[in-house]
Amino acid sequence: MLAFMGYQRYTQEYTSAFIDHSLYSEVLSEQRKIFIRLPKSYDENKTYPVIIKSDGNFNLSRWDESLIQLAQAGKVEDSIVVAIPNLFWTDSRNRDLVPPFARKDVAIEARPPNENSPEIFGRADLFLSFIETEVLPYVEANYKVSENRVLTGFSAGGSFVLYTLITKPELFSGYFAFSPAAWYDDSVVVREFQKGLKNVEGDPLFLYLSIGGAENDIIKGSFKGLLKAIDSYGPANFYTQHSYSEGAGHVENPYTSVPLALQSYYQFRSEKL
């Protein structure tokens, strides 16, 4: 029974109903998988937007159905979705997605000043380099893609989205952070996000934030901190939308948010680009 349950979990988390590709990362010094969802009518004579998704199979079917429905209605462009799962045999999620200014063994309280060994921090900087220098070039070499690029993530993936936005804002034109884990180490993600908004000046850029109405007060508090930072320090070229999914918990919120984020992003593109 345990072997069957392990196999079932492996199938659910580490294989895909779409294109299941493995590549060796020089940046991470390990083999990594990517799941590639192509539009059903994929045409090599056309170019397509690319959505990089940091949460693997989680809600990948929701992205598929939302893109199909909204593209058929003429509200969005159907897109190539590249979903990056966590390693299966190693707990890599926090290592990869927690920013390098927060502890990867996440805690609510502030980090004590004497806890500053490099190995305790997240390595989102390396994971971002993996996406920039290995994943995106692979996709661009093998598929017909446009300059329309989105990065999306949930919870820890949401903190990764915020980190990418303030460190490499030009890498994507759209950023979606669903229930972002901005509460790490007494909301250090909020403080760093606020300081980093000065880096966002330049071309028009879009951020979609969402949170579930039934999420806990700690997550809601850091979410409000992000909104306050945007109101006070967001540059003129930085456009944001946010939503509250009424009655939704932490895991349920992204399901509601996917089509809303896509529609908001394409409204931004039609008005500002």
Side-chain angles (χ1 to χ4, degrees):
M1 178 61 73
L2 287 176
F4 173 76
M5 291 175 63
Y7 174 77
Q8 187 177 46
R9 180 171 164 260
Y10 180 91
T11 302
Q12 290 173 347
E13 296 181 13
Y14 214 54
T15 64
S16 172
F18 302 100
I19 298 170
D20 190 333
H21 179 72
S22 181
L23 71 163
Y24 183 79
S25 169
E26 298 287 348
V27 172
L28 300 174
S29 299
E30 63 195 18
Q31 200 77 18
R32 294 301 296 250
K33 277 197 173 189
I34 55 175
F35 304 146
I36 302 173
R37 177 266 184 198
L38 298 178
K40 292 189 183 302
S41 57
Y42 178 75
D43 182 348
E44 291 187 353
N45 296 312
K46 296 172 58 178
T47 61
Y48 296 87
V50 176
I51 299 170
I52 301 293
K53 181 178 177 296
S54 65
D55 304 299
N57 268 341
F58 177 73
N59 270 342
L60 186 52
S61 60
R62 177 62 164 169
W63 281 94
D64 180 48
E65 67 182 26
S66 295
L67 284 166
I68 291 171
Q69 292 170 3
L70 293 172
Q72 287 176 344
K75 295 180 178 180
V76 309
E77 294 181 53
D78 208 346
S79 306
I80 298 171
V81 180
V82 182
I84 309 173
N86 310 314
L87 291 175
F88 186 77
W89 304 111
T90 303
D91 185 4
S92 65
R93 184 169 175 82
N94 284 358
R95 181 203 72 183
D96 290 345
L97 301 179
V98 174
F101 43 72
R103 289 172 288 183
K104 63 183 177 183
D105 294 335
V106 296
I108 296 170
E109 67 277 2
R111 174 176 58 84
N114 63 329
E115 291 188 16
N116 52 22
S117 298
E119 64 270 12
I120 73 170
F121 296 99
R123 296 310 309 267
D125 52 336
L126 284 183
F127 194 66
L128 177 54
S129 180
F130 164 60
I131 290 174
E132 180 181 14
T133 66
E134 296 178 327
V135 175
L136 284 171
Y138 173 83
V139 174
E140 290 166 352
N142 289 277
Y143 301 97
K144 302 288 286 186
V145 300
S146 69
E147 293 300 311
N148 179 359
R149 299 198 298 212
V150 170
L151 177 66
T152 181
F154 157 64
S155 194
S159 73
F160 176 73
V161 168
L162 298 174
Y163 171 74
T164 303
L165 174 63
I166 60 172
T167 55
K168 284 278 186 177
E170 72 285 354
L171 196 56
F172 298 90
S173 54
Y175 293 84
F176 303 168
F178 304 142
S179 301
W183 48 266
Y184 300 150
D185 295 350
D186 192 29
S187 293
V188 67
V189 175
V190 176
R191 296 192 296 275
E192 293 295 328
F193 177 75
Q194 177 176 300
K195 289 192 294 185
L197 281 173
K198 64 181 183 296
N199 300 328
V200 176
E201 293 181 350
D203 294 333
L205 207 60
F206 179 82
L207 170 65
Y208 190 91
L209 292 165
S210 74
I211 193 169
E215 299 202 48
N216 67 48
D217 290 341
I218 294 170
I219 296 176
K220 288 179 179 177
S222 63
F223 190 84
K224 290 176 182 177
L226 294 171
L227 298 182
K228 184 177 179 180
I230 292 167
D231 287 342
S232 300
Y233 298 95
N237 64 300
F238 187 43
Y239 299 91
T240 66
Q241 289 286 337
H242 69 274
S243 64
Y244 295 89
S245 302
E246 185 175 354
H250 190 59
V251 175
E252 292 79 23
N253 172 54
Y255 185 88
T256 300
S257 301
V258 168
L260 300 178
L262 284 167
Q263 291 179 88
S264 294
Y265 174 63
Y266 275 91
Q267 182 177 353
F268 152 78
R269 290 187 64 85
S270 68
E271 295 175 355
K272 304 300 180 183
L273 297 181

